[in-house]
Amino acid sequence: MSEYIFYPGCSIESSAKAYYESTMAICKPLGIALKEIDDWNCCGATEYLSLNLTPAYALIGRNLALAEKQANGSQTVVAPCSACYLNLAKADHYMYEDKAFGEKINEALSAGGLHYTPGKLAVRHLLDVLVNEIGLDKIRAQVSKPLAGLRVVPYLGCMLPRPDYGERYSDSEHPLEFDELLQALGAEVIDFPLKTACCGGHMTQIGPDTAFELIRRLIAAASESGADVIATVCPMCQMNLDAFQGQMNGYFHTHYKMPVLFFTQLMGIAFGEKPEKLGFGQEFVSARQALKRIGVEVPEAAPAAKKPAGLPMPSPLQKKPIGTTEEASQ
Amino acid sequence: MSAEEKKPQERVGVYVCHCGTNIAGVVNVEDVSTWAGEKLKDQGVVVSRDYKFMCSSLGQELIQNDIKEFGLTRVVVAACSPHLHEQTFRTACKGADLNPYLCELVSIREQVSWVHTDKDAATEKSKAIISGGVSRVVHHEPLEPLYVSIHPATLIVGGGIAGIQAALEIADAGYPVYLVEREPSIGGHMAQFDKTFPTLDCSACILTPKMVQVGNHPNITLLTYSEVEKVDGFVGNFVVSIRKRARSVNEADCTGCGICWEKCPKKVIDDKFEVGIGYRKAVYTPFPQAVPKYPVIDRENCIYYEKGTCKACEKFCPTGAINFAQEDEIMNVEVGNIILATGWDLFDARRIPNYGYGRLPNVFTSMEFERLSNAAGPTGGQIVLRDGKTVPKSVAIIHCVGSRDKNYNNYCSSICCMQSLKFAHLVHERTGATVYNCYIDIRTPAKAYDEFYQRLIEEGTLFIRGKVAEVTDAALSPAEEGKLVIQVEDTLIGKQRRIPVDMVVLSAALEPRADSKEVAKRFGISCSADGWFIEKHPKLDPVATMTEGIYIAGVVQGPKDIPASVVQGAAAAARVLGKIQQKEIALEPVRATVNEEQCSGCRICNDLCPFSAILFHEDKMVSEINPALCQGCGTCVAACPAGAISGTGFSNEQILSQIDGLLFLNIKSKEAVKA
Amino acid sequence: MTSNPTTSGPPSLLHEVAMRTPGNSHVEMCIQCGTCGGSCPSASAMDHTPRALFAMLRANMRDNVLSSNTPWMCVSCYFCTVRCPQDIHITDVMYTIKNISLETKAYQAKTASDFSKTFIRWVENYGRSFEVGLAGLHTLKHFAGRLLAMAPMAIGMITKKGMSITPPKRIQGMDQLKKILKRAKELEAA
């Protein structure tokens, strides 16, 4: 049994539940025990980190301090989200490299009775742990239903391979680790030139025109390459490419229907897990057709968990005049 | 302490140099001089002076007069680094009949005034350094230089243009040369080029006459397909072992007719001369004008060596020159001097993933482009895409690939700007395509170079000031479909541009040879952190090294173009000729010696010596140092566990006294300052 | 946080940026090659490329730098950072400039800064972030016109992903976190 400290991150509790479910489903057969940091807080994403220095690092530092305190055997923190992974790794990196800075952050932490020893913990992304620690051999050994014939785009996005403080990836722009993992699952992996290009990040919120263009690039290139699905390693990437795909289509008058999945979902399928246990059906662009091609049936989506009637968002739409919007002009 | 015992016997003069304001601007030189005259009396100082430029003839005369007037037996000069003027002051002492090795030069410029700003502290430190020098110099012994004769032959390693130039200069002066080249032919990288900048004369046309001269010269022994394995000896008397790899062709019988490679059935991708974009046979000469004309059989690819049958070459050879049983031959030659002109390797552009070399077929390196554009190259000089037939309509040339980049090489490769301009010209001339040159800075400092840049602007080259961020085949618009797109900030506009092109050429960096560090070690010279060989002085002695008798020329010393390489080849030859004509030279008498009584025979020093100067006598079980080989570096002295090795001029007594002197000041001078 | 103040006058913005960026950002080492501007996926939305911003920093054009939308458009893709031939930590420098522009209220990028501020409010009050609430509030304010296009997505978030529309539960150590952040802010101001 390999034990790790687990930092789930906020998205996995809301928009990326499928990621959580499938991660749990594959960790079991691989003998991985993930011990969640008790009472962790948000990593600050790119927003908090970019707006102040000391409070942002103290916010992240609280998680590192809690993890150090609760660490029991394992000194490795695993994060499934690229942004969480990078923020935790970055805080550790700069607190270690810049001593005075590290002391300052610890002074802030001491107000809450906490302390973190820079360099103490290794912060790693789930993909890195699976490929470099558990190893492809062990993963291959679990494959009972190879993804033969499924054409997969290995999409890593930015924050996993860059800036890569721990130098864990073969390359910062065209790393091969993810391709190798998907190949181990039996999938047909596409040599994707944009595998570490940007998904749009927070531009979906602050500059949708730019975001849509970045999303279009990726979806169009994947579609052109004949891919069945895009595999992602980050909730932000998955959401931008999947949930915003419809809006992007509307913006450009295109009709792409490219399913975007978490890589752990594909691992689960290859391990012979039932699709419903892997969060399938939660994606906007359904992966049902793609999976059917390799003989995996995904049951009809479960009925809505909550009734949409009480939504706060659609209701103002009825009241607000929307005469001069960008949509209308298109 | 022994200093106490010796002090009454010697009469020391101290001379503090102002070096204009170089020293005097930071150090209170008058105070230092007065202090030494008063406070170091007990150490033997009888006179102490300061002077504006001690190295001037007036300054030297000052010292010489004092030697005579005060009967000085030791001299300490506090000035610049011994690297600069040790010789000056030793010679001055010699002129006054004082043994030159009884003069000690201590540095209060490089070690004090240039590195400190606190004047009081700098003045105190200068006193300490002088005190150390005085305590040391009283233990100096008069020494006589060693004289060695110089063998008139010269070894030149590397048959590129720098090595060729050096070989011809020396051979024409009437002295023998061994020219060793790793490849089957001399010519080096220059032989791969089609045109040379800025005059655009044909590279082969100007190079091959020189190659032929080398091949025919009575004073040059040409050893191609050969490598230096071992170097023993010292300046004037090197013994070099050279491995002549088996060509599998008897040179005496071969006429170079070419039937063998015509008949050879095995086609091989030529990743050396044709840099992977052309083919050769298993028996081959790298190019038609190769010197020597004899081919070699590449045993790794030859069918006969692989399967035991074929022998097509042997069957057709009209003179029976093919010799499959030929073996490597080891040759030992004696030479007086060595010139290293081993050249460079091209930066592996695959290391920059965002430029896509190795992934995107129509991204080419500069050397690939050289072969593409060469009339004798795989396409007969036609500039075409990787498919071998499509002529590009647009070409982007990227400067500084792997140069001026902390991720790869910090240095500027110096030739890429001009080379990229030449490429742009060739593309214009041969294809009429649109050419974009993406640069950070255009560097055209030599004669007629900037005029060439002007010419390229006139020819319509589109210059974009910006380092290309990426080359991609991921199209964002119909215009980009099927093209390579370069994404670059046009920094003079301040906008990001995406430019679709058919071909991208990467002007890749020049890098030290992959084995440069081993080669440096083999010849006992040093490499910079980058891997270039280090010259004795970057301005005033650019082709000599810190090891006597070993010279460097061409790119091996740092990136440079053909004219600069030729200059260095000729310069190194001139230095060697100067040495040869001295017939014998004086060696510094600073040497280590082993006290046989104390040597335990542990041999720790044997391997540590960077000059292989220590030999071991199995019979007596003691080590001995060859005084002609020893460079006085002191490594063995420090390493000897028995304390059996002592360095002339660096004895334990001298070093410990110098430290005592430094510390003496620490206690005494503080009182002096307070007083 | 190393810096090379080049003049003896009042600290330049370049100096301030260098001081306030963790580690050694090498921001003063820019050679204006444009690798960053060429690499940036959101360059088209920026009023200046990052390279131009560094030139303006060097010229100490304080107001122009701090009112630029450039750092606000940064998507943290780190392409510029890993490609920079001078090893400048460009993404981190962008964060610092944002940070100073927010502090001095010099920023013009309303949408971006509001999004960040809303995000921070959630985190500082709950300890966790809340995508549905955040996106909803933010969209209402800045892209009301997009709501029509966004509605299917919002519904999907709830029906498909089973996302909650109520804010997340506060972390237990909210008091502790608030104390830590309070001290951190004091240290920042000091």
Side-chain angles (χ1 to χ4, degrees), chain A:
Chain A
M1 207 65 176
S2 321
E3 202 172 290
Y4 294 97
I5 310 165
F6 187 52
Y7 179 86
C10 304
S11 318
I12 227 170
E13 293 198 316
S14 50
S15 63
K17 281 182 180 152
Y19 199 7
Y20 184 77
E21 289 163 21
S22 53
T23 298
M24 292 305 146
I26 59 145
C27 278
K28 216 171 166 187
L30 288 172
I32 301 170
L34 298 176
K35 188 172 174 290
E36 186 170 328
I37 300 170
D38 192 29
D39 204 39
W40 54 271
N41 56 259
C42 173
C43 74
T46 54
E47 304 310 319
Y48 208 113
L49 194 69
S50 61
L51 288 187
N52 50 48
L53 182 65
T54 318
Y57 280 80
L59 181 81
I60 308 167
R62 181 176 175 272
N63 294 311
L64 292 171
L66 290 175
E68 187 185 351
K69 209 161 101 181
Q70 295 164 19
N72 191 6
S74 173
Q75 299 290 330
T76 302
V77 180
V78 180
C81 164
S82 300
C84 298
Y85 150 73
L86 179 59
N87 276 6
L88 294 171
K90 187 178 218 166
D92 179 53
H93 172 79
Y94 281 131
M95 284 177 75
Y96 184 80
E97 187 187 88
D98 189 339
K99 265 214 159 98
F101 181 66
E103 278 160 19
K104 195 172 175 184
I105 302 307
N106 266 321
E107 199 181 326
L109 290 176
S110 70
L114 292 175
H115 179 272
Y116 173 64
T117 318
K120 184 77 181 284
L121 300 172
V123 180
R124 308 181 70 156
H125 186 275
L126 180 63
L127 176 72
D128 167 31
V129 167
L130 288 173
V131 174
N132 295 321
E133 288 242 307
I134 305 300
L136 294 180
D137 288 343
K138 267 195 186 165
I139 290 168
R140 234 175 255 120
Q142 291 300 324
V143 174
S144 59
K145 182 148 194 4
L147 307 178
L150 190 70
R151 293 173 56 84
V152 184
V153 160
Y155 176 65
L156 287 157
C158 307
M159 295 184 196
L160 189 66
R162 287 185 301 273
D164 193 15
Y165 295 118
E167 294 179 14
R168 302 194 189 280
Y169 301 93
S170 52
D171 193 281
S172 56
E173 306 211 9
H174 291 277
L176 296 171
E177 285 85 347
F178 195 22
D179 303 49
E180 286 162 6
L181 172 73
L182 293 168
Q183 272 152 9
L185 304 178
E188 194 180 318
V189 180
I190 287 161
D191 182 15
F192 193 56
L194 300 175
K195 67 164 87 162
T196 69
C198 175
C199 71
H202 67 178
M203 294 303 277
T204 46
Q205 302 299 325
I206 62 179
D209 299 356
T210 306
F212 291 157
E213 169 57 19
L214 295 175
I215 294 167
R216 186 194 68 82
R217 288 178 193 188
L218 290 165
I219 300 292
S223 174
E224 201 102 309
S225 70
D228 296 315
V229 296
I230 296 177
T232 60
V233 300
C234 168
M236 167 80 99
C237 298
Q238 198 276 340
M239 177 149 96
N240 278 358
L241 295 187
D242 177 38
F244 283 89
Q245 199 175 124
Q247 285 190 61
M248 179 276 287
N249 274 327
Y251 186 86
F252 289 109
H253 307 289
T254 49
H255 303 280
Y256 294 110
K257 272 193 175 349
M258 177 58 63
V260 185
L261 298 172
F262 292 104
F263 78 107
T264 43
Q265 292 181 289
L266 291 175
M267 285 182 78
I269 293 288
F271 287 4
E273 286 289 344
K274 287 199 174 101
E276 50 269 42
K277 292 210 166 158
L278 299 166
F280 278 97
Q282 292 176 26
E283 68 278 6
F284 277 72
V285 179
S286 174
R288 191 177 301 130
Q289 286 304 321
L291 291 186
K292 213 174 198 167
R293 285 200 47 220
I294 57 164
V296 176
E297 286 289 341
V298 180
E300 281 297 326
K306 288 202 168 92
K307 283 181 191 168
L311 279 183
M313 276 179 289
S315 46
L317 176 69
Q318 320 292 327
K319 294 167 199 163
K320 276 198 180 252
I322 42 165
T324 54
T325 65
E326 286 165 64
E327 273 74 23
S329 65
Q330 275 170 24

